[in-house]
Amino acid sequence: MFSFLKGISLLIPPESIPRGKIYEIYLTVQRKEDIRLPLAGCQTLLSPVVSCGPPGVVLTRPVILSMDHCSDACPENWAVRLKKQNYEGTWEDVLLMGEEHPSDPYYCQLEAETCRVFSEQMGRFALVGESLHMGAAKRLRLVLFSDAYCTTLEYNIRVYCMDDTQDVFKEVMQMERQLGGRLIDEPHLLLFKDSYHNLRLSIHDMPQAHWRSKLLAGYQEIPFYHIWNGSQRYLHCTFTLERLSLATCQLSCQLCVWQVEGEGQSFGLDFNIAKDKRAIDSEFLLMDSSSTALAGPSAFQIPYLIRQKICSSLDTPCPNGADWRMLAQRLKLDRHMSFFASNASPTSVILDLWEAQHFHSGNINQLATVMADIGKQEAMIFLVSDGEC
């Protein structure tokens, strides 16, 4: 079974649920303001707070919870912890990245933008990072909106600053759609460092013959701790501009964003305020048209019988290494050898991770090529008909 939302997913591998058991599985993203997740010192929330359940269900194999994160993905910059909320509501550290033990009920793979959590238990999880030095950075997403229609001399540009995760981006897009806003530029990424410096934003280089800014100061500022330790899912500031004539519709300017005493970025804006630049119902908001859960054979890229044959072929160690170890190497998963080896079927766990990584985009022929490279005749089983699976 595969359950998914924007930016998060839950893979329940075959045979994870005991035979004869029926569970009503759910997967939700909690709003930060609804959850009190204690953060101390240099800690910051790197992922959505995700709930999957029901808690307490009996699993015979780990499920894989995938969720977006917004760290710079440099392990040397962070001490990253997986937190889980217990039955009393207290958040506990259940894993420290880089110090996993194969016997633990949890295991994580941190990718560039996604964290994959192997878990033998359902519950409420979050990824928290503690910066080890001021070089650690979070990825922020800057998104610009304005009113869809402007009939006055004043014109407002709203700049949202949020963690670079899909769930909060979708929330802002939906809110702006309800407000009648429109997206006026592509989202921009910014690395926000743990330097204790605030984030400053300013608008420059407007054609003075047609536009002026009504901002009294030269810039607007978002305090460091509102971004690093803040409980709000997104922050925004509004720039109020004034055109000198209602006939003026073209606006060109520069948006500058920087941390105090740090390097900044400048984004050029050039658009017509009387025409829709980008509809809110654009590709940024489109969700998968399919349901939020897939069950049965259609939930997996690899047909069940083919999966069984691959596992029986690769689980047994070979003297020349043409077994599950080579599969992990070819799929660039060899950092987790000890974890795979701790499972009754290492191949099955590797295929679970492959499924989680390639959901909606997996190419079964690529996996067949890897099997052929290993030298296993079983690669030919990818050519069997659907009727044989």
Side-chain angles (χ1 to χ4, degrees), residues 2-3 14 147 164 168 213 217 221 262 277 352 365 387:
F2 215 124
S3 182
D147 296 330
D164 183 29
V168 65
S213 173
E221 193 166 72
K277 180 68 175 178
D352 290 344
N365 292 325

Side-chain angles (χ1 to χ4, degrees), residues 203-270:
I203 286 184
H204 299 284
D205 299 337
M206 291 181 296
Q208 295 183 358
H210 302 287
W211 291 90
R212 69 182 181 90
S213 173
K214 300 192 73 174
L215 185 67
L216 297 179
Y219 55 85
Q220 297 197 56
E221 193 166 72
I222 301 177
F224 171 82
Y225 283 106
H226 287 191
I227 298 175
W228 198 262
N229 281 346
S231 59
Q232 299 183 59
R233 289 169 59 80
Y234 50 83
L235 300 158
H236 86 278
C237 57
T238 300
F239 290 92
T240 300
L241 311 179
E242 185 177 41
R243 49 181 173 167
L244 304 185
S245 168
L246 288 175
T248 299
C249 293
Q250 197 68 28
L251 173 60
S252 61
C253 58
Q254 292 285 325
L255 172 67
C256 299
V257 185
W258 73 100
Q259 275 185 276
V260 181
E261 299 183 12
E263 296 181 359
Q265 297 184 47
S266 179
F267 310 110
L269 304 177
D270 190 356

Side-chain angles (χ1 to χ4, degrees), residues 100-107 120 337-343:
E100 303 95 335
H101 298 285
S103 59
D104 290 343
Y106 308 97
Y107 194 87
E120 297 176 7
M337 289 299 199
S338 59
F339 171 67
F340 297 144
S342 68
N343 288 268

Side-chain angles (χ1 to χ4, degrees), residues 167-238:
D167 67 300
V168 65
F169 179 51
K170 175 176 174 285
E171 182 180 334
V172 169
M173 294 290 284
Q174 290 178 333
M175 181 185 66
E176 278 288 337
R177 180 172 59 176
Q178 294 173 353
L179 294 174
R182 63 165 177 163
L183 192 65
I184 60 174
D185 197 25
E186 302 280 340
H188 298 283
L189 292 182
L190 173 73
L191 288 179
F192 186 77
K193 293 185 177 181
D194 182 21
S195 64
Y196 299 99
H197 292 310
N198 299 338
L199 186 69
R200 289 181 176 177
L201 305 94
S202 64
I203 286 184
H204 299 284
D205 299 337
M206 291 181 296
Q208 295 183 358
H210 302 287
W211 291 90
R212 69 182 181 90
S213 173
K214 300 192 73 174
L215 185 67
L216 297 179
Y219 55 85
Q220 297 197 56
E221 193 166 72
I222 301 177
F224 171 82
Y225 283 106
H226 287 191
I227 298 175
W228 198 262
N229 281 346
S231 59
Q232 299 183 59
R233 289 169 59 80
Y234 50 83
L235 300 158
H236 86 278
C237 57
T238 300

Side-chain angles (χ1 to χ4, degrees), residues 42-61:
C42 299
Q43 290 184 337
T44 184
L45 187 62
L46 296 176
S47 76
V49 179
V50 178
S51 294
C52 58
V57 301
V58 176
L59 298 171
T60 56
R61 292 179 52 196

Side-chain angles (χ1 to χ4, degrees), residues 6 28 33 36 48 53 78 85 107 123-124 143 154 194 214 284-285 290 295 326 329 336 374 376-378 384:
K6 197 71 171 175
T28 60
E33 53 267 26
R36 292 189 175 273
W78 296 94
Q85 193 174 38
Y107 194 87
R124 183 170 291 164
V143 191
E154 283 192 357
D194 182 21
K214 300 192 73 174
F284 295 112
L285 188 58
S290 55
M326 187 173 292
Q329 291 170 355
H336 311 291
I374 294 175
K376 289 291 182 178
Q377 188 176 358
E378 285 76 9
V384 299

